[in-house]
Amino acid sequence: QVHLVESGGGLVQAGGSLRLSCAVSGSIFRINAMGWFRQAPGKQRELVASITRGGTTNYADSVKGRFTISRDNAENTGYLQMNSLKFEDTAVYYCNLATTAISGMPRDYWGQGTQVTVSS
């Protein structure tokens, strides 16, 4: 059983910072990438940031220069550091792992989501 547990969300004023954590438990054969998604009311879920197995990072244009994705493989934890938060960043944020099972089949895992609310 694989579980992703997110933490770090909350209410913050515009211009402030939050650090989201994604703790992973369970056995995973191969992690190919870790990503953070967000979904605001009435909008599609969008990819905010990702980091590949090789360490390559990618960010949505809207968060470039403000957000930083990272991981601690030894602690099985991923992070999203969010600085200079804007009201538009308000959303439920989800952690995602893109993995390969031992069979070679792709398998995605999702966290339960954590609410980030930025007040203007």
Side-chain angles (χ1 to χ4, degrees), residues 6-21 36-39 46 48-49 59 62-70 79-94 114-118:
E6 300 177 346
S7 61
L11 175 64
V12 64
Q13 291 187 348
S17 298
L18 286 174
R19 189 193 193 198
L20 306 183
S21 298
W36 289 92
F37 292 72
R38 68 185 181 188
Q39 187 167 23
E46 64 174 343
V48 177
Y59 298 92
S62 59
V63 307
K64 285 181 179 177
R66 301 188 297 119
F67 289 12
T68 303
I69 188 171
S70 62
Y79 302 96
L80 183 67
Q81 178 67 45
M82 304 184 294
N83 298 326
S84 302
L85 282 163
K86 304 175 180 179
F87 175 77
E88 306 93 274
D89 297 318
T90 296
V92 178
Y93 284 71
Y94 299 88
T114 184
Q115 177 70 48
V116 172
T117 302
V118 183

Side-chain angles (χ1 to χ4, degrees), residues 1-3 24-31 76 99-102 109:
Q1 294 182 327
V2 176
H3 294 94
V24 180
S25 63
S27 181
I28 299 173
F29 180 67
R30 177 185 172 99
I31 298 175
N76 296 318
T99 76
T100 300
I102 194 169
Y109 297 94

